[in-house]
Amino acid sequence: MLDSIIFDLDGTLWDSSDEVLKLWNEVVKKHHVSDAITKEQLEGCMGLQNKEIGQKLLPHLDEKAQEMILKECNEVECLYLAEHGAQLYQDVEKVLKALSEKYKLFIVSNCQSGYIEAFYQSHRLDKYFTDYEHPGRTGLTKGENIKLIIERNKLENSVYVGDTEGDLKGARFAGVPFVYAKYGFGQVDEYDYDYVINRFSELLDLFIDKKILSNNT
């Protein structure tokens, strides 16, 4: 019997891309290190860890410079998002409230320290979650962090909800079913995911109303 649901953050619970794009471009412009980052480029980095993001967005810089620029970007964005928040997907709090009454909820995201905390602070949603993890704290991959959450909280039957191929790979590494949030940033092959939702509220159909699909339609 399902006892827990683990969520990705970007592209699953909220969309902070507009806010992050503006802030990152301010940092990049200040350091005169790159042309302006486009939204398409930023969305292509969703779900990646900082090292991979640096290689994609700042390929002409060495690793140390990439790390320095992204560290500043991350600090600026966390301060801003903690105060102002970003765009939650429709019905997120309503659905989280209903799910939290039946299951333990968690977040595992490939983000830096302070990012999930900023999400909690700005939207006051921490009350629905039991625990969270990210590589900014552990240095681990998404799959390893999912496993860490499962082991730390003694979970027996979890699912992972995310929107990218990296989320799918993380779920497979951790040995849990994957729910594909199709409305998010990524693309996942229809033969790979276990369940699919086209909007966040469809989680209620899967896990509250018990209309759990027997196939990937």
Side-chain angles (χ1 to χ4, degrees), residues 75-117:
E75 290 172 350
V76 168
E77 78 177 33
C78 285
L79 287 171
Y80 179 91
L81 292 173
E83 182 176 355
H84 301 283
Q87 181 62 51
L88 296 177
Y89 287 108
Q90 186 174 5
D91 296 324
V92 159
E93 181 162 13
K94 173 185 174 183
V95 173
L96 290 176
K97 182 177 186 299
L99 292 174
S100 69
E101 291 170 356
K102 189 172 181 61
Y103 307 104
K104 291 182 178 180
L105 307 184
F106 304 86
I107 295 177
V108 171
S109 175
N110 270 353
C111 61
Q112 71 276 15
S113 294
Y115 190 78
I116 296 175
E117 295 89 338

Side-chain angles (χ1 to χ4, degrees), residues 26-37:
E26 289 175 358
V27 173
V28 165
K29 182 178 180 180
K30 183 179 77 172
H31 289 280
H32 307 287
V33 295
S34 175
D35 294 331
I37 300 165

Side-chain angles (χ1 to χ4, degrees), residues 107-163:
I107 295 177
V108 171
S109 175
N110 270 353
C111 61
Q112 71 276 15
S113 294
Y115 190 78
I116 296 175
E117 295 89 338
F119 167 76
Y120 283 163
Q121 181 176 332
S122 59
H123 294 286
R124 303 293 189 267
L125 296 176
D126 52 306
K127 58 186 176 238
Y128 301 117
F129 294 95
T130 300
D131 196 1
Y132 66 94
E133 201 52 90
H134 53 73
R137 184 160 66 182
T138 66
L140 301 176
T141 66
K142 177 160 285 187
E144 290 169 331
N145 279 326
I146 294 172
K147 287 189 73 172
L148 180 61
I149 282 286
I150 290 170
E151 293 165 1
R152 188 161 72 206
N153 293 277
K154 299 179 172 55
L155 307 179
E156 296 184 357
N157 193 354
S158 301
V159 299
Y160 187 73
V161 183
D163 67 303

